[in-house]
Amino acid sequence: MLITQTPLRVSFAGGGTDLREFYEREEGAVLSTTIDKYIFVLVKERYDRKIVLSWTHKEIVERIDDIKHELIREGMRLVGVPSGIEIMTTADIPSEGSGLGSSSSVTVGLLNAFHTYTGEQVSAGQLAEEACRIETAILKKPIGKQDQYIAAYGGFRRFVFHSDGSVTTTRLDMTEDTKRRLQAHCLLFYTNRTRSAAEVLVEQKRNTSTNLSILRAMREQVQELGKCLESGMVSEVGNLLHEGWCLKRRLARQISDVELDGMYQRAREAGATGGKVLGAGGGGFMLLFCPVEKQENVRKAMARYKEMPFRFESEGTRVIFNIKRETWKI
């Protein structure tokens, strides 16, 4: 039996330039970090040859082809996991439409578990690329590549997406003091609704040609924000997040609406200097950057919305429990 723990993520800048429709024209770039909210995958060998799955539903099948959970099904196929296995997934937060990259964290966590189960140790880069293959090439999801990579690698990272499909990554050279100060300024609130990322991203991808100048400006923010964080200029982050949000909401109609705009505006009037709706937009979680002395005012202004305390996470997916019994079956 083994258990993997895979973090969710917060993206600070560049989201949208990791879509193939953009990075095949010119390089995309994203700056993001993992947080201490996780997807857990438990894998256990069974005595019989059945495949037993526990997620929001229960499945008991005998063939991989009969599995309804498409990420589990395609992960087992890709890695070559045999029957006679029990798989359970669970999450710290509801995983659908959170804006925290949960679907890709599930995929990366499953692949990490499956490779370990079959006796393989693979790199973070391989896990990320295999997760991209499952989600975008096999299942044809209209998503980008940032979520798979940050879930696999973890920490504060800058990713560059090249036209040939390759990805390079560097960990930001941030001091612990800078991380603590940034952490102290960041708040997360649930917008009380979710929206399928696919709905938003299909429109966004369709608009790529007309949005090139906006996407380029969002990509440039990755460099600006990276310099601020590496030099300890935390106070500038709020303004950059605000500029990024103003750019992002122009990419597609469904990214924001009157309610989300009103939520963000109330936070700004109460003292937040910047923020964004995470993920594709349209719902999920909103990240706010706010001076510590103004945070109680912001919390009062956001009383309708549930806050989620969080901490930055320095690692990506990892195996947290692994025990193998060689002789328990005959």
Side-chain angles (χ1 to χ4, degrees):
M1 184 174 73
L2 65 91
I3 302 172
T4 62
Q5 174 180 289
T6 306
L8 303 180
R9 66 97 182 99
V10 167
S11 177
F12 281 91
T17 69
D18 63 320
L19 292 169
R20 179 173 57 82
E21 283 71 13
F22 181 81
Y23 69 68
E24 282 190 347
R25 297 169 183 257
E26 48 191 277
E27 287 185 348
V30 166
L31 191 155
S32 56
T33 186
T34 41
I35 62 173
D36 66 343
K37 301 296 178 284
Y38 305 98
I39 303 290
F40 296 92
V41 176
L42 183 149
V43 175
K44 182 181 181 296
E45 188 177 15
R46 287 181 61 86
Y47 187 83
D48 57 27
R49 301 304 299 163
K50 294 186 182 297
I51 302 170
V52 178
L53 310 180
S54 298
W55 38 297
T56 53
H57 301 284
K58 182 89 170 182
E59 295 189 58
I60 302 176
V61 300
E62 295 187 358
R63 302 186 312 132
I64 291 176
D65 290 351
D66 295 329
I67 295 174
K68 294 179 181 179
H69 192 300
E70 56 188 12
L71 298 177
I72 295 177
R73 183 184 66 239
E74 300 306 329
M76 289 183 69
R77 281 176 175 166
L78 189 150
V79 177
V81 178
S83 299
I85 190 172
E86 191 160 347
I87 302 164
M88 183 181 77
T89 65
T90 185
D92 281 341
I93 63 168
S95 58
E96 185 67 29
S98 68
L100 301 176
S102 54
S103 176
S104 296
S105 290
V106 170
T107 311
V108 170
L110 285 166
L111 288 168
N112 193 11
F114 293 158
H115 280 294
T116 305
Y117 182 78
T118 58
E120 297 180 300
Q121 185 174 2
V122 301
S123 67
Q126 180 176 335
L127 291 174
E129 199 52 43
E130 288 180 351
C132 290
R133 190 187 317 165
I134 288 173
E135 293 194 90
T136 61
I138 297 174
L139 297 176
K140 307 297 183 184
K141 294 180 180 291
I143 61 176
K145 302 182 77 167
Q146 65 159 314
D147 293 351
Q148 300 88 344
Y149 273 83
I150 191 60
Y153 280 94
F156 274 91
R157 287 188 173 269
R158 182 189 295 110
F159 295 97
V160 178
F161 307 97
H162 304 285
S163 59
D164 63 358
S166 63
V167 180
T168 56
T169 179
T170 53
R171 187 183 288 271
L172 261 62
D173 185 17
M174 293 172 61
T175 66
E176 289 302 314
D177 177 66
T178 297
K179 290 179 185 177
R180 283 192 293 269
R181 288 189 291 124
L182 179 63
Q183 179 77 72
H185 282 75
C186 290
L187 304 172
L188 268 182
F189 288 91
Y190 185 55
T191 62
N192 294 333
R193 69 189 203 191
T194 62
R195 180 189 290 274
S196 168
E199 295 179 22
V200 182
L201 292 173
V202 165
E203 181 187 358
Q204 186 175 322
K205 292 171 73 169
R206 189 169 57 242
N207 297 341
T208 298
S209 295
T210 56
N211 286 339
L212 286 177
S213 61
I214 300 172
L215 290 162
R216 288 172 184 142
M218 294 173 69
R219 179 187 60 196
E220 293 306 310
Q221 280 206 312
V222 172
Q223 193 70 14
E224 293 180 64
L225 187 56
K227 288 180 179 177
C228 285
L229 293 176
E230 290 182 329
S231 61
M233 298 168 59
V234 171
S235 61
E236 296 298 316
V237 172
N239 293 330
L240 287 171
L241 284 175
H242 178 65
E243 292 172 11
W245 171 241
C246 292
L247 290 168
K248 178 178 176 176
R249 62 191 304 279
R250 294 164 56 191
L251 295 176
R253 291 172 301 168
Q254 299 181 75
I255 286 176
S256 191
D257 56 25
V258 173
E259 182 181 350
L260 292 178
D261 286 346
M263 178 181 178
Y264 182 61
Q265 185 59 33
R266 285 193 295 276
R268 293 255 298 164
E269 290 172 355
T273 59
K276 60 181 294 194
V277 176
L278 295 171
F285 282 88
M286 179 179 288
L287 173 69
L288 295 173
F289 184 92
C290 181
V292 175
E293 64 273 14
K294 299 289 184 66
Q295 289 182 5
E296 285 310 308
N297 290 340
V298 170
R299 288 187 173 102
K300 289 177 183 177
M302 305 290 275
R304 290 177 49 201
Y305 306 97
K306 185 175 178 62
E307 182 180 2
M308 185 175 75
F310 75 101
R311 306 293 296 175
F312 297 135
E313 165 65 77
S314 61
E315 296 188 51
T317 186
R318 57 192 183 271
V319 177
I320 60 172
F321 181 82
N322 186 10
I323 182 169
K324 187 172 184 179
R325 294 175 289 172
E326 300 289 349
T327 58
W328 77 285
K329 294 197 299 185
I330 58 172

